[in-house]
Amino acid sequence: AKRLDDAEKLYKQTLPITADLPGFVGLSSIYRQQNRPAELLDILGKGYAETGELAGLNAELNLLTAEERLVVGAIEAAHKLLKEQPPKLDFATGYIAANIAADAKRSDDAVQFYRHLLAARKDRAEMLFEELGQTAGKYDTAAALTYVLLIFPRHIYDLLPMTALIGALVGLGML
């Protein structure tokens, strides 16, 4: 236990200087071994926020979801942050919590976290709706309509140049 405490101190000293993925994974491994789910969720969220990489955290997330007590503790910590006024669950930590809940087959918790994330970051709606659909297995009508309305302008933007070109060619062909 003493060696884990020493390693934690070292990680905490170096992470502010070099916020790299192996540092976040190392510190999360220490928190996992010490059975500290709230700190584990926090550091995984910070790792995702700093690096933008979920793939590098997947091994640690898989180890976390294999231990039920850590899953329960991490989800409870996320719910606690969500219940504060205003909610203190930031996007990165909420995204990690949603992934933990989804991997642990706790779809009600995952849906609640994804809904919070959708309210917080509409610019990530397409990605979140896709993951929500995979997690919950179905969309409710409001979620499906919101998804269509949010991605429709992007599809118009993508298709507009091609339709203008086709229209111009048809117009020239009629001359």
Side-chain angles (χ1 to χ4, degrees):
K2 172 80 170 116
R3 298 197 43 93
L4 287 176
D5 292 339
D6 293 342
E8 178 186 358
K9 287 178 189 171
L10 287 172
Y11 277 119
K12 284 185 172 182
Q13 289 172 354
T14 57
L15 276 175
I17 299 166
T18 59
D20 62 345
L21 193 59
F24 290 108
V25 171
L27 187 53
S28 67
S29 175
I30 291 169
Y31 290 150
R32 182 176 42 77
Q33 292 174 45
Q34 293 177 331
N35 191 29
R36 293 167 58 187
E39 292 88 347
L40 178 58
L41 178 66
D42 182 56
I43 201 64
L44 288 171
K46 287 178 181 173
Y48 178 66
E50 286 290 326
T51 64
E53 275 188 59
L54 188 62
L57 299 172
N58 276 340
E60 195 61 33
L61 286 170
N62 289 337
L63 290 170
L64 186 155
T65 55
E67 298 183 42
E68 183 65 23
R69 68 186 180 345
L70 287 175
V71 169
V72 170
I75 290 174
E76 285 176 1
H79 278 297
K80 184 177 178 183
L81 291 171
L82 194 57
K83 288 179 183 173
E84 290 185 29
Q85 291 301 326
K88 296 205 172 155
L89 186 65
D90 65 347
F91 181 83
T93 306
Y95 187 65
I96 295 294
N99 276 278
I100 291 169
D103 290 346
K105 307 287 189 247
R106 296 179 59 148
S107 57
D108 290 342
D109 292 319
V111 167
Q112 187 175 3
F113 295 135
Y114 277 120
R115 287 180 188 229
H116 169 73
L117 297 173
L118 284 164
R121 294 280 303 268
K122 295 196 183 342
D123 61 316
R124 307 290 288 279
E126 186 172 358
M127 173 193 75
L128 294 171
F129 272 117
E130 286 177 18
E131 291 183 19
L132 177 60
Q134 292 170 357
T135 300
K138 62 181 181 192
Y139 293 108
D140 60 7
T141 307
L145 181 62
T146 305
Y147 174 73
V148 169
L149 291 175
L150 287 172
I151 66 164
F152 188 68
R154 194 187 87 209
H155 288 299
I156 290 175
Y157 180 78
D158 290 342
L159 293 174
L160 193 60
M162 187 59 68
T163 53
L165 175 64
I166 292 171
L169 291 174
V170 168
L172 286 173
M174 296 180 99
L175 289 177

